[in-house]
């Protein structure tokens, strides 16, 4: 059983909840606002980072302290080597000026230059990086210390520079084994054919986290009844879900979702997925979907109009009342189409206006419909400058 570190995104509670949902067997030893550390058996970092939406990096813990010799050993082991051919003078001169090692058959192999870097989390940077470079040079190994203006290296820097990265935290030294697939997220976010900024832009990473929180199996029927331009649906396809339904009251949203799903299937060469989009409101789901057919509902409904910082409370409560009505009608239909014990992972608007906070007031009414709330009210997705925060709630159909 090895110990791993997960570097969390900007909403750590949400990131931790996702990790625990995907890997319930994890034995957690440490949790901070920056990282989660835990033990896992037969864990594949590369496969895990492809699934996780809220984790920036995954590393394997190699020591409980900063050990310069251990770092040098790890760098040396990861310096690629290849056979040397003495077919011309240029190659011979190159060998003479670069480190080699004798192999079992007494031929020589050449070390390539290695790029390495250190990221300091929850601790002050030190000069150990340059000390290691000097020591590597003294040992005849060519290396490049990759640095940035920040005390941590971004996933972009690590991947594009092929960096052997060490994660340094108080009492932890880890070797990065996987970084978030930023290019893939960017492609599905900005490269898709259709988007609609006016109706709200659900980030693909958040959509993925919500899907993972649903605990749905790959053969379950996934439903997004407020599909917009199809972000939840496309992320579900990218995660290898094969049975997908989307619906929206707006015809344009349905067309956009269809175009984006078709595009993703082409980009990812998906040929066995089944998906359909219905142009209906969430209060009409049972007219198209059989009772108890849906495995999980993952959705971001209408979050309301733009609200000013100094908005009158009477106007805010009027908006809230209208949104509550939409949500309750939707949950009434969820009760019909969702399997027993199936989960609803839904975004609720949470207005954060200076010192004032406003939330929907329908928790008891949802419970009275036959749902049980599973989250603890701490799954918030937000940025400091946002007035409307996203609160992710998880409801089980009892």
């Amino acid at each position: 059983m090895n110990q791993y570190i997960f570097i969390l995104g900007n909403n750590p509670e949400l990131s931790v909840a996702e990790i625990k949902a995907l890997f319930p067997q994890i034995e957690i030893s440490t949790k901070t606002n920056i990282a989660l550390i835990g033990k896992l058996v037969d864990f594949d970092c590369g496969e895990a980072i492809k699934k996780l939406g809220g984790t920036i990096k995954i590393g394997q813990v190699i020591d409980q302290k900063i050990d310069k010799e251990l770092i040098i050993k790890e760098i040396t082991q990861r310096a690629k080597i290849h056979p040397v051919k003495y077919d011309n003078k240029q190659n011979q001169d190159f060998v003479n000026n670069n480190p080699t090692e004798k192999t079992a058959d007494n031929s020589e192999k050449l070390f390539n230059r290695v790029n390495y870097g250190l990221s300091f989390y929850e601790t002050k940077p030190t000069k150990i990086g340059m000390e290691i470079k000097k020591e590597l040079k003294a040992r005849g190994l060519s290396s490049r210390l990759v640095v940035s203006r920040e005390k941590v290296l971004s996933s972009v820097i690590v991947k594009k520079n092929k960096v052997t990265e060490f994660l340094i935290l108080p009492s932890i030294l880890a070797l990065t084994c996987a970084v978030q697939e930023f290019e893939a997220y960017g492609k599905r976010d900005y490269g898709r054919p259709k988007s609609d900024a006016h109706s709200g832009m659900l980030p693909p990473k958040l959509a993925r986290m919500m899907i993972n929180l649903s605990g749905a199996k790959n053969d379950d029927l996934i439903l997004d009844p407020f599909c917009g331009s199809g972000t939840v649906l496309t992320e579900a396809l990218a995660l290898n879900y094969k049975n997908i339904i989307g619906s929206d009251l707006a015809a344009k949203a349905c067309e956009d979702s269809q175009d984006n799903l078709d595009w993703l299937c082409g980009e990812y060469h998906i040929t066995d997925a089944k998906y359909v989009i219905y142009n209906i409101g969430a209060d009409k789901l049972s007219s198209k979907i059989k009772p108890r057919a849906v495995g999980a509902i993952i959705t971001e409904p209408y979050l309301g109009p733009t609200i000013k910082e100094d908005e009158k409370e009477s106007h805010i409560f009027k908006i809230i009342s209208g949104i509550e009505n939409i949500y309750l009608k939707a949950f009434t239909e969820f009760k019909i189409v969702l399997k027993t014990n199936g989960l609803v992972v839904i975004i609720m608007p949470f207005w954060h206006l200076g010192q004032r906070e406003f939330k929907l007031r329908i928790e008891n009414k949802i419970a009275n419909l036959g749902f049980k709330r599973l989250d603890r009210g701490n799954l918030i997705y937000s940025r400091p400058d946002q007035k409307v925060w996203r609160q992710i709630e998880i409801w089980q159909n009892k």
Side-chain angles (χ1 to χ4, degrees):
M1 182 178 287
N2 293 320
Q3 195 170 29
Y4 297 91
I5 180 168
F6 299 77
I7 301 299
L8 308 174
N10 294 328
N11 302 274
E13 291 292 343
L14 188 55
S15 297
V16 169
E18 181 192 25
I19 293 167
K20 291 166 69 174
L22 273 183
F23 308 105
Q25 72 276 23
I26 188 171
E27 295 181 13
I28 298 174
S29 58
T30 305
K31 184 182 74 171
T32 71
N33 285 334
I34 299 295
L36 176 75
I37 301 171
K39 293 180 179 179
L40 286 159
V41 178
D42 298 327
F43 181 67
D44 188 322
C45 295
E47 288 301 311
I49 204 72
K50 291 178 182 177
K51 297 177 182 178
L52 290 164
T55 297
I56 299 172
K57 301 174 185 175
I58 302 175
Q60 184 171 340
V61 176
I62 57 176
D63 209 331
Q64 304 301 315
K65 63 182 184 302
I66 300 177
D67 187 327
K68 186 166 68 174
E69 282 300 319
L70 179 57
I71 293 174
I72 291 172
K73 178 182 177 181
E74 294 287 348
I75 292 173
T76 303
Q77 288 177 345
R78 283 160 178 77
K80 295 180 181 179
I81 52 179
H82 59 268
V84 176
K85 295 181 180 179
Y86 298 95
D87 54 359
N88 57 47
K89 184 179 184 301
Q90 184 178 8
N91 277 358
Q92 182 64 62
D93 290 341
F94 188 67
V95 169
N96 292 338
N97 290 286
N98 286 273
T100 62
E101 67 174 14
K102 293 289 185 181
T103 60
D105 61 359
N106 207 36
S107 62
E108 286 188 300
K109 290 189 175 182
L110 176 68
F111 282 89
N112 287 335
R113 187 180 76 166
V114 61
N115 294 340
Y116 72 96
L118 298 92
S119 289
F120 295 84
Y121 293 91
E122 299 180 319
T123 187
K124 292 182 179 180
T126 69
K127 297 181 180 179
I128 188 174
M130 287 305 300
E131 294 172 3
I132 291 169
K133 183 174 177 62
K134 291 179 181 178
E135 183 62 33
L136 289 171
K137 184 177 181 180
R139 299 184 187 188
L141 184 62
S142 176
S143 66
R144 175 192 170 207
L145 173 61
V146 179
V147 298
S148 72
R149 294 181 180 179
E150 306 296 329
K151 65 178 185 177
V152 301
L153 300 178
S154 69
S155 297
V156 177
I157 290 175
V158 172
K159 185 172 183 179
K160 291 194 172 182
N161 290 276
K162 299 180 180 179
V163 177
T164 297
E165 183 193 28
F166 296 88
L167 309 175
I168 298 174
L169 291 86
S171 303
I172 288 292
L173 173 64
L175 181 65
T176 299
C177 50
V179 299
Q180 196 170 65
E181 296 186 313
F182 56 90
E183 291 173 331
Y185 281 113
K187 184 175 184 178
R188 292 196 300 274
D189 196 0
Y190 305 109
R192 59 183 178 171
K194 298 292 180 64
S195 62
D196 186 1
H198 296 291
S199 62
M201 294 287 284
L202 179 67
K205 293 178 186 178
L206 176 55
R208 179 164 293 222
M209 284 188 272
M210 292 172 66
I211 295 167
N212 288 331
L213 288 171
S214 76
K217 298 179 177 62
N218 283 105
D219 58 352
D220 280 336
L221 177 59
I222 302 296
L223 168 64
D224 181 357
F226 298 89
C227 65
S229 55
T231 303
V232 167
L233 308 179
T234 51
E235 286 303 302
L237 271 186
L239 281 168
N240 203 34
Y241 288 91
K242 301 300 184 183
N243 301 297
I244 295 168
I245 293 179
S247 67
D248 203 289
L249 187 59
K252 183 181 184 304
C254 295
E255 293 171 4
D256 289 352
S257 288
Q258 185 72 47
D259 288 346
N260 286 334
L261 287 166
D262 292 344
W263 169 81
L264 189 80
C265 284
E267 290 291 320
Y268 282 61
H269 308 293
I270 299 171
T271 59
D272 56 348
K274 299 177 182 178
Y275 52 87
V276 61
I277 309 296
Y278 295 122
N279 184 196
I280 57 172
D283 59 344
K284 299 290 191 299
L285 292 173
S286 59
S287 68
K288 295 290 186 180
I289 303 172
K290 294 179 180 179
R292 300 288 189 268
V294 176
I297 298 173
I298 303 109
T299 192
E300 178 181 71
Y302 177 56
L303 301 182
T306 302
I307 296 179
K308 296 181 293 185
E309 188 80 24
D310 58 350
E311 198 77 64
K312 291 182 179 180
E313 290 194 3
S314 59
H315 181 58
I316 295 174
F317 285 124
K318 184 178 180 181
I319 292 171
I320 289 175
S321 179
I323 293 175
E324 288 174 340
N325 186 49
I326 294 172
Y327 280 49
L328 286 173
K329 286 182 178 180
F331 267 93
T332 301
E333 290 291 289
F334 296 170
K335 184 66 182 175
I336 299 171
V337 302
L338 185 61
K339 289 181 178 179
T340 301
N341 296 324
L343 300 187
V344 179
V345 183
I346 187 170
I347 290 176
M348 301 283 191
F350 173 17
W351 292 270
H352 193 81
L353 307 175
Q355 300 300 315
R356 301 182 299 165
E357 294 182 351
F358 303 90
K359 296 184 179 182
L360 301 186
R361 306 153 297 183
I362 55 175
E363 183 170 349
N364 290 338
K365 293 180 180 180
I366 295 174
N368 289 338
L369 289 172
F371 291 90
K372 179 183 178 181
R373 188 169 176 182
L374 301 184
D375 69 282
R376 295 181 295 147
N378 63 335
L379 304 181
I380 305 294
Y381 189 93
S382 67
R383 294 194 304 267
D385 60 329
Q386 287 181 322
K387 294 182 177 64
V388 182
W389 292 4
R390 290 174 164 105
Q391 179 162 328
I392 292 83
E393 296 186 5
I394 305 173
W395 292 88
Q396 186 178 43
N397 187 19
K398 301 304 290 182

